[in-house]
Amino acid sequence: MRLRSPGALLLLLGTLQAADNREQEVRALVGSDVELSCVFPESHTFDLDDLYVYWQISVMGHPTTVTYYLSGNTSAGLEDNRYRDRAWLSLESMKRGDFSLHLYNITPQDEQKFNCLVFRKSLQLKKILDVVVTMHVAANYSVPVVSAPSGPSKDELLTFTCTSVNGYPKPNVYWINQTDNSMLPEDLQNSTVSLNARGLYDVVSVLRIRQTPSVNVGCCIENVLLHQNLTGISQAETATESGNTGSHTDDHRKDHGTVLSTLAVLGVVVVVAAATGWVCRSRCPHGIRTRHWAARPEQAFSECV
């Protein structure tokens, strides 16, 4: 069988029987490099001139080439533009039956099924390997930043905003009452998840909760694929609590000042009284002071003066 172009071979691939059909899964972080395994199950040495190797994906139901190796055909340009210079096959590895795909700089668009197909020309293009590798792509979300009301509020409801960016896939968003570690009702929150220019997700979640003396909440961003939960915490003090706290403090300071003032006055009185007594004792003779204080106290005081 002689084919004029690699494209003609693509039309034929779907009608051939598979000698080995397997499915695998692989996970990769955005921006990383990954190897999609496609290895012949038995120890065997292959002649590259006898091989047709295709890695392809399905785009809207149609096969699209990621990269390929065709014996005796140097045609190029069949690769999808998204994979040009990003996909690579090792010729030395293929001689040993390892047809794995090396894929660089993973993007969210790489999350799909990759199909490895290997044919032998000497066997009338018999398919000797058919492997499907499902790629799961993930990216870490940033630690959630929670903004709380900046000052006392006269509203009955307080508004908290939670922001986290550059994650993948779509997250689950929860608001938690940190006091008892319970989840807050979904009807109190409004979350928006949108794709940014990098193809990653940004999250903005708004929580409106009734004002209480102390509000301590946390925003949790869950990345199911990475088994990851990131939590941002914020605490707000209401105007009522702040007012009560200030009032109690002022009253305490006022009471403390009153006590100090009273003690100061009493101290002055005691000092004056003691000084007066000492002067009296120094100026009045002992006999006269004793006699007159015993008989007529007012007279004794006048004599001392």
Side-chain angles (χ1 to χ4, degrees):
M1 180 182 297
R2 191 173 176 134
L3 297 173
R4 294 183 179 181
S5 68
L9 178 59
L10 270 174
L11 298 177
L12 181 65
L13 297 183
T15 64
L16 300 176
Q17 295 296 320
D20 186 19
N21 193 312
R22 292 172 291 167
E23 291 196 15
Q24 305 173 18
E25 290 189 353
V26 65
R27 289 174 171 81
L29 288 174
V30 171
S32 67
D33 303 333
V34 69
E35 179 181 291
L36 307 185
S37 179
C38 180
V39 181
F40 194 72
E42 303 172 7
S43 178
H44 196 283
T45 301
F46 291 90
D47 180 2
L48 293 180
D49 290 335
D50 191 36
L51 294 175
Y52 284 0
V53 181
Y54 269 92
W55 275 92
Q56 59 188 28
I57 57 175
S58 177
V59 178
M60 300 183 67
H62 300 287
T64 299
T65 303
V66 175
T67 191
Y68 62 92
Y69 175 82
L70 298 181
S71 169
N73 195 314
T74 59
S75 298
L78 288 179
E79 303 97 332
D80 187 295
N81 288 334
R82 291 174 298 175
Y83 296 102
R84 191 163 296 167
D85 300 325
R86 291 181 53 220
W88 176 68
L89 296 172
S90 170
L91 297 181
E92 290 300 318
S93 296
M94 289 195 295
K95 292 177 182 179
R96 300 189 300 270
D98 185 351
F99 308 97
S100 299
L101 172 67
H102 300 268
L103 196 59
Y104 304 108
N105 192 21
I106 298 301
T107 71
Q109 290 71 36
D110 294 327
E111 185 168 77
Q112 52 193 308
K113 292 182 181 293
F114 291 78
N115 193 191
C116 171
L117 300 168
V118 181
F119 303 85
R120 290 191 63 181
K121 187 167 60 174
S122 61
L123 299 178
Q124 288 75 46
L125 290 179
K126 178 182 178 181
K127 186 193 302 181
I128 62 171
L129 200 56
D130 185 349
V131 175
V132 176
V133 182
T134 301
M135 169 90 78
H136 299 287
V137 178
N140 291 303
Y141 281 90
S142 64
V143 176
V145 176
V146 181
S147 61
S150 57
S153 173
K154 297 181 180 180
D155 297 334
E156 293 185 1
L157 298 178
L158 296 176
T159 300
F160 295 84
T161 302
C162 172
T163 305
S164 181
V165 299
N166 292 327
Y168 198 89
K170 280 187 176 182
N172 294 321
V173 184
Y174 309 102
W175 283 91
I176 300 172
N177 185 340
Q178 294 293 123
T179 304
D180 57 10
N181 214 26
S182 62
M183 287 200 306
L184 295 170
E186 292 186 4
D187 58 357
L188 299 179
Q189 56 186 282
N190 181 21
S191 300
T192 302
V193 181
S194 58
L195 281 173
N196 60 29
R198 298 176 57 192
L200 303 176
Y201 289 107
D202 295 340
V203 183
V204 177
S205 183
V206 178
L207 173 73
R208 290 181 63 81
I209 189 171
R210 186 173 296 280
Q211 186 172 165
T212 60
S214 181
V215 181
N216 191 1
V217 298
C219 173
C220 179
I221 304 295
E222 180 187 20
N223 191 323
V224 176
L225 189 60
L226 295 178
H227 305 288
Q228 181 184 68
N229 288 282
L230 300 174
T231 302
I233 299 174
S234 182
Q235 184 172 4
E237 293 184 354
T238 66
T240 302
E241 183 187 23
S242 301
N244 288 341
T245 301
S247 177
H248 291 164
T249 302
D250 292 342
D251 290 344
H252 178 71
R253 289 177 179 174
K254 289 178 182 178
D255 293 342
H256 185 65
T258 302
V259 171
L260 289 179
S261 298
T262 303
L263 290 176
V265 172
L266 290 176
V268 171
V269 171
V270 170
V271 171
V272 171
T276 303
W278 180 81
V279 171
C280 289
R281 284 195 299 271
S282 63
R283 296 180 57 183
C284 297
H286 183 270
I288 296 175
R289 184 178 63 251
T290 303
R291 182 179 63 251
H292 285 275
W293 187 267
R296 298 175 64 184
E298 68 280 4
Q299 184 179 353
F301 181 77
S302 62
E303 288 180 5
C304 290
V305 176

